[in-house]
Amino acid sequence: MARMKFLCDSDRCIECNACVTACKNENEVPWGINRRRVVTINDGKAGERSISMACMHCTDAPCAAVCPVSCFYTTADAIVLHDKDLCIGCGYCFYACPFGAPQYPKVGNFGGRGKMDKCTYCAGGPQQDNTAAEYAQYGANRIAEGKLPLCAEMCSTRSLMAGDGDIIASIYKERVQKRGYGSGAWGWRTAYRETVDV
Amino acid sequence: MHDGNENKVAERRGFLKTLGLAGGAAAAAAAPAAAQAQAPRPRKETEVEKVAARYRETDHVKAFYRTNRY
Amino acid sequence: MLIKRSEGKAARQRLSSTYQGLSAGGMDRRSFLRQAGLGGAGLAALGSFGLTTARPAAAGPTNFSQPIQRIKNICTHCSVGCTVVAEVQNGVWVGQEPAFESPINRGTHCAKGASVRELVHGDRRLKYPMKLVDGQWQRVSWEQAIEEIGDKLLEIRQKSGPDSVYWLGSAKFSNEGAYLMRKFAAFWGSNTIDHQARICHSTTVAGVSNVMGYGAQTNSYNDTRNARTMIIMGGNPAEAHPISMQHMLAGKEQNRANVIVIDPRFTRTAAHATEYVRIRPGTDIPIIWGMLWHIFENGWEDKEFIAQRVFGMDDVRKEVAKWNPREVERVTGVPEAQLKKVAQIFATQKPATLIWCMGATQKTVGTANVRAFTILLLATGNMGRPGTGANIYRGHTNVQGATDFGLDVTTLPAYYGLDEAAWRHWCRVWDVPYEWMVQRFASKALMETPGIPTTRWFDAVLLPKDQLSQPDTVKAFIAIGHGGNTVSRMPEAIKGMDALELLVVADPHPTNLSSMSNRRDNTYLLPISTQFECDGSRTASNRSLQWGSKIVDPIFECKNDYELLYLLARKFGFAQEMFKSIEVKGTQPVAESITREFNRGAISTGYSGQSPERLKLHMQRQEDFDLVTLRGRPGSPVEGEVYGLPWPCWGTPEMKHPGTHILYNTNLHVKEGGGCFRARWGVEREGKTLLAERSYSKGSELTDGYPEFTVAVLKRLGWYDELTAQEKEIIARVGGDNPDRVSWSTDLSFGIIRVALEHGCQPSGNGKARANAWNLPDPVPVHREPIYTPRTDLIADYPAIDDRRTFRLPHLAKSVQARSYSLATSFPIVLTSGRLVEYEGGGEETRSNRWLAELQQDMFVEINPADAEARGIKPGQMVWVDGVENSAKVRVKALVTDRVAKGVAFMPFHFGGWYQGEDRRGYYPPGTDPIVLGESVNTVTTYGYDPVTAMQETKVTLCQIRGA
Ligand code: SF4
Ligand code: SF4
Ligand code: SF4
């Protein structure tokens, strides 16, 4: 069965932030909450590279392991979701997450004060698919619509890829073979315990 | 290209038919959180529904993969 | 290397901290701003939403029980022209989906395009007309606003003449809007009609057209996929044209292409280059001549191409000979070895393209710069083929089209100019008597004289009347879709604003024109829709036209551009004449009928074949176009046509010309989009031919150069009788006493074009490109030090041009440059400006978009660590940047970075709403202030204008920086 993953080809990312605003647009994410962010390394120097980061939907997700109320669950598509009705906003998951994905609103947003919010892989949450209740708490459910995360679908340079991990890995391999360089599938070892061999 | 999907999408989106979400305008003025407060809460997904696979390789998804290739 | 950062447990902590922005390389522009930002002014501004409205602007979530309509329009930000797919329910734009089928963007966007839906949420839009009464904004009705504005304008017209009203149009207009406004200005009786192109690529248009015939991008974004070498000089497409990078990076990867960035600043684009060349700001011509020095020295030039297709290259050789590697290094700072390597790559690893933007154009030597760039392409034969060319990336969404349709003080639509023949042509198209048109103007002389460029509008308000070559100074300023913080010398612009008798801003947003001045009365704001609330075509940078369909009705009380112009024309009493052949429903002109009218008249640029029907078909069948060639797939209804029918698209729509993907491409038949350089400057000069030699486009029956087609030429060739009787009759009507002089571009029957194409000939002739543009200042480009330069040792050798008069005004250069001697020690830092990815133009629209505003909450200055240390400036602290004129200063955050060299500082130009330390948020009408405000860089930019187009200098001036 297809296993959903993200792959950011950092040799392509130009830090344009389309992925960030696409996410805001699709999910009406409020000011101050960033499900996705772009981080630049060596800013302004030779070797400058940018990487788009969000929840990577890890295998054996560390956030789930530390959650005191067990609000996380992993779907058959390997998407890590959580139930905001259970979340108590304790913040443990933020410290456990190697990617710093969990976000906590300071005011009433996305289903209540202090409830954790993070990237859902545009797959909603434990409310019924594409209902107003699901949208209000978790945002869109594109996966149920037969689509993929909008951040990846709109990425300007086709740097950020989402979808079936095998397919996007093969696309990445094809690129590296063609162009002769590649910094690797960023974050994969941490998130998925594997890399893309080229 | 995915014009053809529209009906299907609408069908899938038909979940809401019973919900009677007021017109776009009302939804617009309200932030998502407020919308939630107003809308009647439907039942949540069962444990089985929650984790069920939803990904499908639709034309839309295939188009995405294609535009990632050279 | 990066992969290591993610490996193993030890890396975990570092990864999390990277995420917080504390990357190993120090603070980046977002993280340092964010740390201070989240609770700041931006958030406070968000708290004050007030939705008190006539028609609620609405937003998602999608109601999945309702049918969803899918409507295509074009991103309203940059000139790449990304297709936007809107999902609409009950007249509300609820979702945005990727347009995978668009050959231009393939579903993708940058931060701006991915958040355009927010523009019609309209939280901070102008909601109804307003006027300033004793310093307070008051709501008024449209009727009252038009009446009062109209009466005041007629009074000014009466008292001071039509030239005392400044009409400023917009690069955000559709083609139809741009054309209509140029026509409107003609009916008003003035050539003082301009738009943003003045301050972005006016120098490109003037410079490049004077070399090759047309002043536009020769190839396309998609075509960079074919390049083996790309030089990006004075441009930062990673931020300014992000989707172009998709094509450029694909080219880089597939062809293992050389990507060379030549820029004073290590840009986000430079981060993806294979070679980065840092230059001293303002030394473009020495760099190009320095490259050509190596090229000529080593015989790397394309001798056959030069012999067949270029005039005057020997004059260039003489100038280039002066630029030996030592002199180049002395002036530019670039070492010999690096420039030689770059020159060799460019000349020998072909096809090679040169990509440029405002780093080249916004200069006192802008026109000369772009001619030098073009000459480098010609000398190496990199023109007229896939992968080559002058890839000039225009700025705003339709700045190409608005330029083409003459929102320009120097010409009528389609570059006909302003002479009597041009006026007679358009009067025929408009079906109004030429004599009637003449009496609309103050005089026939002024009718044929260029107006006042937008860079100098306030000089035309403030200068004594006797220094202006027109009856009176400017009294009223009408800005339709144009910000106010985009001109240099802002302190003087503000004085000009204060002195106006009438100020009108017609725009989706109040713009900083509403908040900059201290006016208390006679100021109006009119709410105008965006192009998402309007039908019409827009021309992307690559000359492709795309039809945008209205997504939602204008929100609140907004009206579209067409209706505004109709209402004004009606008030002035010339609506009948002006809309004679344009369909108007109620008070709403119909977009398609405007398109059809310009199809009939804009012959010279080949804007005649793009009927609304053909354009709409292309939008429907986007998936049928090839990604690289942009050709329609065989068997499809658009077979063989180029996406968007890029101009020139010769003849009538019925002739089915496919449009021209690559200009001057002799490898194709003209009927398939081939062409040659235009024969625009006669046939001979100083005994040498100006026509091409043994070079012609494929299938041409004339196998050598030939002049432009006229009736006389057809007769000489014996092709005259191939014209139909009807065509001859129309030509006779156009030609009057002298039908022989009717040319392809004034022949309303299109017969001359038809016959020329039948014989495989380009209607505009087959000439040579000109390396020597003898009609311009500095016919062969020469280096001139910037007006304000820190290198006063170079002024004697490379002085600014002499003071002169241009565009009805005094135009100083050399006398101002002399100030550098006394200023350079106390203002030792070169100040340059540029663009950020999340904002655009003056920035009011994008800074009002909460999804974008959140990404960049503070205005800043980039300063080199050495300069910061010498001044005791800490990263992130507030500093004053002092300018050299008007004792101007701005208060901004310091971003300490190696991105700029020692002695160079950079500021983005999208901010406004602060002035010399003062937050002017309270001056906006309540609820319409952008979320993010900041100092405008143009408060400290200075005097300096290109002698051909009056382009302002924003890329090189002097400043000092100190802690605040
Ligand atoms: S997958 Fe969806 S929720 Fe996650 S970052 Fe992308 S757009 Fe946002
Ligand atoms: S959209 Fe793509 S290129 Fe732009 S910042 Fe995100 S990952 Fe990078
Ligand atoms: S701003 Fe330009 S690159 Fe960005 S989405 Fe719009 S058209 Fe495309």
Side-chain angles (χ1 to χ4, degrees):
Chain A
M1 186 179 275
R3 197 262 184 246
M4 296 300 107
K5 290 178 185 167
F6 279 124
L7 197 166
C8 181
D9 180 352
S10 71
D11 294 293
R12 286 255 184 114
C13 179
I14 56 171
E15 209 248 356
C16 75
N17 280 283
C19 47
V20 173
T21 61
C23 176
K24 293 254 171 185
N25 184 343
E26 182 64 4
N27 299 302
E28 297 272 353
V29 184
W31 183 283
I33 301 285
N34 293 285
R35 289 181 171 192
R36 181 166 284 285
R37 270 188 181 181
V38 186
V39 169
T40 301
I41 292 163
N42 294 325
D43 191 59
K45 297 195 184 78
E48 175 182 301
R49 282 290 175 275
S50 297
I51 301 152
S52 177
M53 290 211 249
C55 165
M56 288 287 276
H57 302 272
C58 302
T59 308
D60 298 331
C63 50
V66 299
C67 177
V69 293
S70 301
C71 77
F72 292 92
Y73 60 96
T74 300
T75 72
D77 298 319
I79 297 169
V80 178
L81 299 177
H82 69 296
D83 188 334
K84 289 193 181 182
D85 294 341
L86 300 178
C87 172
I88 53 170
C90 69
Y92 287 8
C93 51
F94 177 78
Y95 291 98
C97 175
F99 302 99
Q103 305 269 300
Y104 307 87
K106 293 196 183 73
V107 286
N109 270 321
F110 267 85
R113 175 179 293 272
K115 303 269 191 200
M116 186 274 279
D117 187 63
K118 74 167 187 68
C119 160
T120 62
Y121 208 85
C122 287
Q127 301 288 353
Q128 287 179 46
D129 291 358
N130 285 318
T131 54
E134 184 182 55
Y135 190 86
Q137 270 186 302
Y138 305 98
N141 193 340
R142 298 178 65 80
I143 304 299
E145 281 185 62
K147 297 174 181 171
L148 287 169
L150 195 65
C151 53
E153 287 190 349
M154 284 191 176
C155 165
S156 65
T157 55
R158 290 291 176 236
S159 164
L160 181 63
M161 290 185 270
D164 184 333
D166 294 338
I167 294 177
I168 60 178
S170 78
I171 293 172
Y172 182 70
K173 272 190 217 175
E174 190 193 322
R175 280 187 197 173
V176 175
Q177 274 155 5
K178 186 76 155 184
R179 70 194 180 194
Y181 57 87
S183 315
W186 187 88
W188 271 41
R189 202 177 284 275
T190 304
Y192 313 131
R193 313 234 157 103
E194 58 172 328
T195 53
V196 179
D197 297 312
V198 191
Chain B
M1 165 196 338
H2 48 122
D3 279 337
N5 284 353
E6 242 170 55
N7 289 339
K8 259 184 283 165
V9 171
E11 243 171 60
R12 267 197 311 282
R13 291 176 168 184
F15 276 115
L16 261 190
K17 274 192 188 117
T18 51
L19 207 76
L21 181 72
Q36 180 204 2
Q38 288 156 9
R41 299 282 300 257
R43 81 167 170 82
K44 286 170 75 169
E45 288 171 343
T46 64
E47 289 306 308
V48 177
E49 284 167 352
K50 263 164 65 176
V51 299
R54 285 166 174 82
Y55 169 78
R56 281 160 299 132
E57 216 172 296
T58 58
D59 287 348
H60 182 99
V61 169
K62 283 186 198 142
F64 172 75
Y65 292 145
R66 191 186 65 241
T67 60
N68 271 275
R69 296 210 154 87
Y70 285 112
Chain C
M1 99 225 146
L2 286 174
I3 186 109
K4 292 231 169 57
R5 299 186 61 84
S6 67
E7 277 169 351
K9 286 206 162 50
R12 282 193 166 192
Q13 202 45 50
R14 277 173 66 207
L15 277 170
S16 290
S17 52
T18 303
Y19 192 85
Q20 294 306 299
L22 300 169
S23 62
M27 293 201 263
D28 66 27
R29 122 181 156 214
R30 291 177 207 291
S31 52
F32 104 98
L33 295 163
R34 258 208 203 99
Q35 283 160 6
L38 281 187
L43 194 53
L46 271 180
S48 61
F49 285 159
L51 288 174
T52 49
T53 51
R55 179 178 179 279
T62 315
N63 177 350
F64 296 95
S65 66
Q66 300 293 320
I68 295 160
Q69 226 189 326
R70 194 170 177 276
I71 302 176
K72 279 187 194 172
N73 203 310
I74 306 301
C75 175
T76 53
H77 290 300
C78 90
S79 70
V80 171
C82 299
T83 298
V84 168
V85 172
E87 290 188 330
V88 177
Q89 280 188 319
N90 295 325
V92 176
W93 185 354
V94 293
Q96 198 182 332
E97 286 294 319
F100 293 127
E101 64 272 38
S102 163
I104 289 181
N105 63 313
R106 301 167 95 204
T108 66
H109 284 297
C110 70
K112 297 183 289 296
S115 61
V116 285
R117 190 166 63 95
E118 176 72 6
L119 301 182
V120 301
H121 287 186
D123 295 326
R124 310 191 84 74
R125 288 261 297 262
L126 263 180
K127 298 173 182 71
Y128 31 75
M130 300 188 107
K131 89 183 219 196
L132 205 49
V133 181
D134 195 23
Q136 298 294 315
W137 291 109
Q138 282 185 4
R139 179 176 183 170
V140 292
S141 69
W142 265 100
E143 292 72 27
Q144 187 188 345
I146 294 287
E147 277 307 303
E148 291 181 13
I149 293 167
D151 288 342
K152 183 74 195 166
L153 288 172
L154 289 170
E155 180 197 320
I156 291 170
R157 185 187 168 91
Q158 194 68 34
K159 190 178 63 179
S160 305
D163 295 282
S164 287
V165 177
Y166 201 104
W167 296 102
L168 190 55
S170 181
K172 298 287 182 208
F173 286 169
S174 62
N175 288 325
E176 290 72 19
Y179 168 80
L180 204 58
M181 186 164 176
R182 183 62 185 90
K183 184 175 178 183
F184 173 88
F187 279 65
W188 169 259
S190 167
N191 291 323
T192 294
I193 165 84
D194 216 358
H195 83 293
Q196 285 92 344
R198 178 73 41 212
I199 51 176
C200 76
H201 275 287
S202 62
T203 45
T204 292
V205 175
V208 176
S209 66
N210 265 293
V211 178
M212 299 193 292
Y214 287 117
Q217 181 173 14
T218 60
N219 293 43
S220 69
Y221 295 111
N222 297 62
D223 184 64
T224 56
R225 288 173 176 267
N226 290 314
R228 196 155 157 239
T229 299
M230 304 172 214
I231 292 188
I232 300 123
M233 185 160 173
N236 181 14
E239 302 215 44
H241 304 87
I243 301 308
S244 72
M245 290 295 285
Q246 184 185 141
H247 302 295
M248 291 162 67
L249 289 174
K252 177 190 177 197
E253 294 175 9
Q254 283 177 291
N255 311 332
R256 306 248 171 135
N258 310 294
V259 177
I260 300 161
V261 171
I262 304 180
D263 206 289
R265 189 165 165 259
F266 182 83
T267 57
R268 290 261 193 261
T269 310
H272 291 271
T274 53
E275 179 89 25
Y276 168 61
V277 183
R278 198 190 286 279
I279 63 171
R280 180 169 73 87
T283 60
D284 309 72
I285 292 169
I287 291 286
I288 299 290
W289 286 174
M291 285 169 66
L292 272 176
W293 189 91
H294 291 289
I295 288 167
F296 290 145
E297 187 80 3
N298 293 284
W300 294 327
E301 73 271 29
D302 186 333
K303 297 182 187 70
E304 191 188 351
F305 189 94
I306 295 170
Q308 294 185 334
R309 301 186 68 186
V310 187
F311 170 85
M313 193 59 90
D314 289 339
D315 304 329
V316 171
R317 281 178 192 268
K318 276 178 225 142
E319 183 60 29
V320 165
K322 301 177 193 162
W323 289 97
N324 61 60
R326 250 201 24 245
E327 186 63 3
V328 171
E329 183 162 357
R330 178 173 86 105
V331 173
T332 70
V334 179
E336 173 174 2
Q338 190 181 28
L339 204 58
K340 182 174 180 183
K341 177 178 160 197
V342 168
Q344 179 167 18
I345 290 172
F346 190 77
T348 60
Q349 300 197 26
K350 295 197 209 177
T353 174
L354 186 52
I355 293 163
W356 75 79
C357 208
M358 280 148 60
T361 63
Q362 282 186 343
K363 295 264 170 72
T364 49
V365 291
T367 305
N369 272 349
V370 302
R371 283 187 290 132
F373 286 22
T374 311
I375 289 165
L376 175 65
L377 287 160
L378 295 171
T380 51
N382 280 306
M383 189 59 73
R385 277 198 291 272
T388 69
N391 277 305
I392 301 151
Y393 291 0
R394 299 299 301 263
H396 288 271
T397 171
N398 194 33
V399 67
Q400 184 62 52
T403 307
D404 297 334
F405 286 109
L407 288 181
D408 181 320
V409 298
T410 65
T411 181
L412 283 162
Y415 309 100
Y416 279 84
L418 293 171
D419 63 9
E420 188 180 322
W423 280 108
R424 286 192 181 274
H425 169 72
W426 281 106
C427 286
R428 281 190 293 270
V429 177
W430 296 334
D431 193 15
V432 292
Y434 170 75
E435 293 67 30
W436 181 86
M437 193 53 90
V438 176
Q439 55 82 30
R440 296 295 303 160
F441 282 77
S443 68
K444 180 164 185 287
L446 280 171
M447 183 185 193
E448 293 172 11
T449 308
I452 288 160
T454 162
T455 47
R456 313 273 326 255
W457 72 264
F458 49 90
D459 284 328
V461 178
L462 297 171
L463 280 172
K465 205 156 133 174
D466 59 8
Q467 292 198 27
L468 252 62
S469 316
Q470 66 177 39
D472 202 350
T473 53
V474 166
K475 308 285 184 201
F477 188 74
I478 322 290
I480 311 184
H482 200 305
N485 56 340
T486 47
V487 286
S488 52
R489 303 165 60 209
M490 283 260 293
E492 285 161 90
I494 289 169
K495 275 187 220 149
M497 234 176 277
D498 290 347
L500 287 167
E501 289 179 21
L502 175 69
L503 173 65
V504 179
V505 177
D507 200 281
H509 292 271
T511 83
N512 32 44
L513 286 167
S514 72
S515 69
M516 273 153 58
S517 79
N518 301 303
R519 300 177 65 80
R520 302 187 59 81
D521 293 286
N522 294 318
T523 306
Y524 293 82
L525 305 176
L526 302 175
I528 302 295
S529 68
T530 66
Q531 297 303 329
F532 293 125
E533 302 145 64
C534 184
D535 291 309
S537 66
R538 274 170 278 154
T539 305
S541 192
N542 72 316
R543 297 167 281 106
S544 283
L545 281 72
Q546 301 185 90
W547 190 270
S549 299
K550 181 170 80 178
I551 292 172
V552 292
D553 286 328
I555 62 172
F556 311 122
E557 285 183 32
C558 291
K559 294 187 186 296
N560 67 29
D561 302 311
Y562 315 141
E563 188 175 4
L564 171 69
L565 292 168
Y566 179 81
L567 292 174
L568 286 172
R570 192 173 67 176
K571 170 72 190 164
F572 296 144
F574 54 69
Q576 286 286 337
E577 286 86 357
M578 183 173 157
F579 292 88
K580 204 177 253 181
S581 59
I582 293 170
E583 186 189 345
V584 183
K585 287 193 177 140
T587 53
Q588 306 231 28
V590 176
E592 287 84 346
S593 74
I594 306 173
T595 319
R596 287 192 194 98
E597 184 176 292
F598 72 62
N599 284 158
R600 290 195 292 275
I603 307 169
S604 62
T605 317
Y607 258 112
S608 47
Q610 302 98 333
S611 64
E613 292 72 24
R614 289 184 87 188
L615 295 177
K616 287 179 188 172
L617 182 67
H618 280 211
M619 289 305 285
Q620 262 166 36
R621 307 300 302 227
Q622 284 181 315
E623 65 271 27
D624 287 332
F625 292 92
D626 185 82
L627 174 66
V628 183
T629 64
L630 292 178
R631 288 275 170 186
R633 197 164 38 78
S636 72
V638 291
E639 173 170 353
E641 297 187 0
V642 184
Y643 177 66
L645 302 168
W647 62 256
C649 178
W650 300 117
T652 60
E654 294 70 36
M655 291 185 198
K656 287 266 175 205
H657 189 273
T660 306
H661 181 197
I662 296 172
L663 292 174
Y664 322 120
N665 181 358
T666 52
N667 299 314
L668 288 177
H669 194 286
V670 274
K671 279 189 170 177
E672 286 158 8
C676 10
F677 296 126
R678 291 173 70 178
R680 270 184 80 175
W681 301 281
V683 294
E684 206 184 80
R685 184 175 170 85
E686 287 161 1
K688 290 190 200 124
T689 180
L690 291 171
L691 301 180
E693 296 178 85
R694 301 176 314 284
S695 162
Y696 47 89
S697 56
K698 189 174 155 193
S700 169
E701 289 177 25
L702 305 178
T703 55
D704 211 352
Y706 48 87
E708 295 192 69
F709 276 80
T710 59
V711 169
V713 169
L714 283 188
K715 284 183 178 164
R716 281 256 301 276
L717 289 164
W719 300 347
Y720 178 69
D721 285 323
E722 294 173 32
L723 292 169
T724 65
Q726 200 195 3
E727 286 164 351
K728 283 181 181 167
E729 187 198 312
I730 295 172
I731 288 171
R733 229 181 302 141
V734 170
D737 312 335
N738 194 353
D740 276 8
R741 277 183 43 199
V742 174
S743 83
W744 63 283
S745 63
T746 52
D747 165 15
L748 297 179
S749 79
F750 293 93
I752 299 177
I753 290 181
R754 188 182 59 74
V755 172
L757 295 182
E758 290 301 327
H759 293 276
C761 294
Q762 176 169 283
S764 54
N766 177 14
K768 278 184 174 171
R770 298 191 306 171
N772 177 339
W774 60 81
N775 52 323
L776 299 183
D778 298 336
V780 171
V782 297
H783 175 56
R784 295 186 177 280
E785 273 294 302
I787 300 274
Y788 290 106
T789 175
R791 289 292 301 277
T792 47
D793 58 315
L794 295 174
I795 293 179
D797 289 343
Y798 305 108
I801 49 156
D802 295 327
D803 294 354
R804 59 190 64 211
R805 284 187 70 84
T806 61
F807 296 100
R808 310 182 183 189
L809 294 161
H811 178 146
L812 310 178
K814 200 176 259 173
S815 61
V816 184
Q817 192 181 43
R819 295 187 71 213
S820 291
Y821 290 109
S822 59
L823 292 169
T825 38
S826 33
F827 297 88
I829 298 180
V830 172
L831 175 65
T832 188
S833 66
R835 196 146 150 175
L836 303 176
V837 67
E838 55 275 64
Y839 292 148
E840 206 225 348
E844 296 282 291
E845 182 173 51
T846 40
R847 282 183 285 107
S848 298
N849 180 330
R850 65 193 154 122
W851 296 328
L852 295 172
E854 190 184 358
L855 289 168
Q856 192 69 59
Q857 298 173 24
D858 296 276
M859 171 65 178
F860 61 89
V861 60
E862 289 181 356
I863 173 172
N864 183 273
D867 293 326
E869 202 187 298
R871 288 162 178 76
I873 291 167
K874 305 236 155 30
Q877 82 164 81
M878 295 304 287
V879 293
W880 286 105
V881 179
D882 294 297
V884 290
E885 289 178 357
N886 299 304
S887 310
K889 58 186 198 297
V890 294
R891 192 166 179 273
V892 298
K893 274 192 173 164
L895 172 47
V896 178
T897 173
D898 290 314
R899 196 177 289 289
V900 287
K902 186 168 177 306
V904 178
F906 164 89
M907 287 199 279
F909 56 59
H910 312 290
F911 290 82
W914 277 47
Y915 185 63
Q916 309 211 46
E918 183 198 1
D919 177 353
R920 296 182 64 89
R921 191 177 284 282
Y923 289 80
Y924 287 90
T928 64
D929 47 321
I931 297 165
V932 168
L933 301 181
E935 295 269 10
S936 166
V937 64
N938 285 320
T939 302
V940 290
T941 54
T942 50
Y943 200 92
Y945 299 99
D946 179 87
V948 181
T949 73
M951 165 67 81
Q952 61 193 3
E953 173 72 78
T954 63
K955 297 301 180 198
V956 195
T957 185
L958 293 174
C959 72
Q960 179 59 293
I961 303 177
R962 59 190 158 98

